[in-house]
Amino acid sequence: QVPVMESGGGLVQPGGSLRLSCTASGSIASISSMGWHRQGPGKERELVAITTSGGVTTYRDSVKGRFTISRDNVKNTVYLQMNSLKPEDTAVYYCCVVGLRSFGRGSFTSCGQGTQVTVSS
């Protein structure tokens, strides 16, 4: 498997901002997509934002205009800048990466263990 690790979560007041980071490490030949998912209390996991190697980005409607996903291909890192946070954004945020491993070892889909984001006054 390809290790994936998230960071940057925490407690923030409504209207505040946080920046999440996620890095995939190991023997990676290429990455086709990097995305952020979240699972709130008592809710199912949902896709928040995703970016592909072709430069296509997609956001769920509830975060459009507030969240921005970006990617550093050299560092195999994806970021999620979250502005104007709302209490309903409270969730564990997971990063998932899809790509090809080096040395012909095939494709991979790896997700991190998540980072908690809590929006509360």
Side-chain angles (χ1 to χ4, degrees):
Q1 269 291 10
V2 171
V4 172
M5 183 169 291
E6 307 98 337
S7 64
L11 172 64
V12 64
Q13 293 186 344
S17 298
L18 281 175
R19 189 193 195 207
L20 306 182
S21 299
C22 166
T23 298
S25 58
S27 299
I28 299 171
S30 63
I31 292 177
S32 57
S33 70
M34 304 183 85
W36 290 95
H37 304 250
R38 68 186 180 187
Q39 187 166 15
K43 298 180 181 179
E44 294 185 353
R45 190 174 294 195
E46 59 188 20
L47 176 66
V48 177
I50 190 168
T51 178
T52 70
S53 59
V56 176
T57 59
T58 304
Y59 299 90
R60 71 178 302 103
D61 286 346
S62 62
V63 307
K64 286 180 180 177
R66 300 188 297 123
F67 291 10
T68 302
I69 189 169
S70 60
R71 177 172 166 175
D72 185 328
N73 292 323
V74 174
K75 298 180 179 179
N76 289 336
T77 297
V78 64
Y79 305 96
L80 186 67
Q81 178 66 43
M82 305 185 294
N83 299 327
S84 302
L85 282 161
K86 304 176 181 180
E88 51 264 42
D89 294 318
T90 295
V92 178
Y93 284 70
Y94 301 88
C95 171
C96 292
V97 181
V98 179
L100 287 174
R101 291 184 289 178
S102 303
F103 312 113
R105 294 177 182 171
S107 62
F108 71 90
T109 299
S110 293
C111 296
Q113 295 193 351
T115 184
Q116 176 70 45
V117 171
T118 302
V119 185
S120 175
S121 55

